[in-house]
Amino acid sequence: MKLNKKHQKAIHMLFEGSLKRREIAEELKVSEQTLYNWLKDEDFTKAYDEYVQQIMGKSSGKALNTMLKLMNARSEMVRFNAAKDILDRGGYAPVTKQEVTNIQTPVFEDDIGDEDG
């Protein structure tokens, strides 16, 4: 499928998410079935995915700045979640839990004695 202006407009409208598919079809003056057929088309879905990636790329800096600002929020939980999200996305996820076995109680040796002074 070669994408035309209606396809591009449909992609933008679908991404915005403010209209139902029926409303998008009406706006584009196509049938709802036509819109559904586009959504099944590999070229259309690929163009949609590329559009989403483009928008995400443009928005990532602003999103990171928002998360950094949230690290100064009053709420401890908001600060925690912002820090955790930044670390997780940066590849600093916590390590998996390790099971500890064969724990031996330490033995303390009294080598000081009972000297009083």
Side-chain angles (χ1 to χ4, degrees):
M1 163 193 286
K2 181 169 167 89
L3 300 182
N4 59 34
K5 298 245 184 225
K6 280 190 179 185
H7 294 120
Q8 293 171 0
K9 188 170 182 179
I11 288 170
H12 293 210
M13 295 171 83
L14 288 164
F15 178 79
E16 286 178 9
S18 59
L19 298 175
K20 296 178 181 172
R21 290 181 180 179
R22 176 185 49 77
E23 296 169 319
I24 293 172
E26 288 173 5
E27 176 80 21
L28 296 172
K29 297 182 179 19
V30 298
S31 70
E32 196 170 346
Q33 184 60 51
T34 296
L35 182 59
Y36 279 103
N37 289 341
W38 291 351
L39 290 165
K40 294 177 187 175
D41 184 86
E42 187 177 327
D43 291 335
F44 186 87
T45 57
K46 182 179 177 187
Y48 179 83
D49 291 342
E50 289 172 356
Y51 180 73
V52 170
Q53 289 298 318
Q54 179 184 3
I55 296 299
M56 294 296 289
K58 289 180 179 179
S59 303
S60 61
K62 187 174 181 178
L64 179 58
N65 282 331
T66 299
M67 294 301 288
L68 291 170
K69 288 176 186 174
L70 287 173
M71 290 181 57
N72 295 317
R74 287 186 179 182
S75 166
E76 186 174 319
M77 185 57 76
V78 170
R79 291 192 314 269
F80 169 79
N81 284 327
K84 181 182 180 318
D85 190 63
I86 291 170
L87 291 172
D88 287 351
R89 292 173 192 274
Y92 297 101
V95 295
T96 56
K97 293 182 181 178
Q98 299 291 322
E99 188 171 325
V100 179
T101 57
N102 296 332
I103 299 175
Q104 296 180 357
T105 306
V107 177
F108 295 99
E109 185 175 322
D110 183 4
D111 60 351
I112 297 176
D114 287 335
E115 294 180 23
D116 288 335

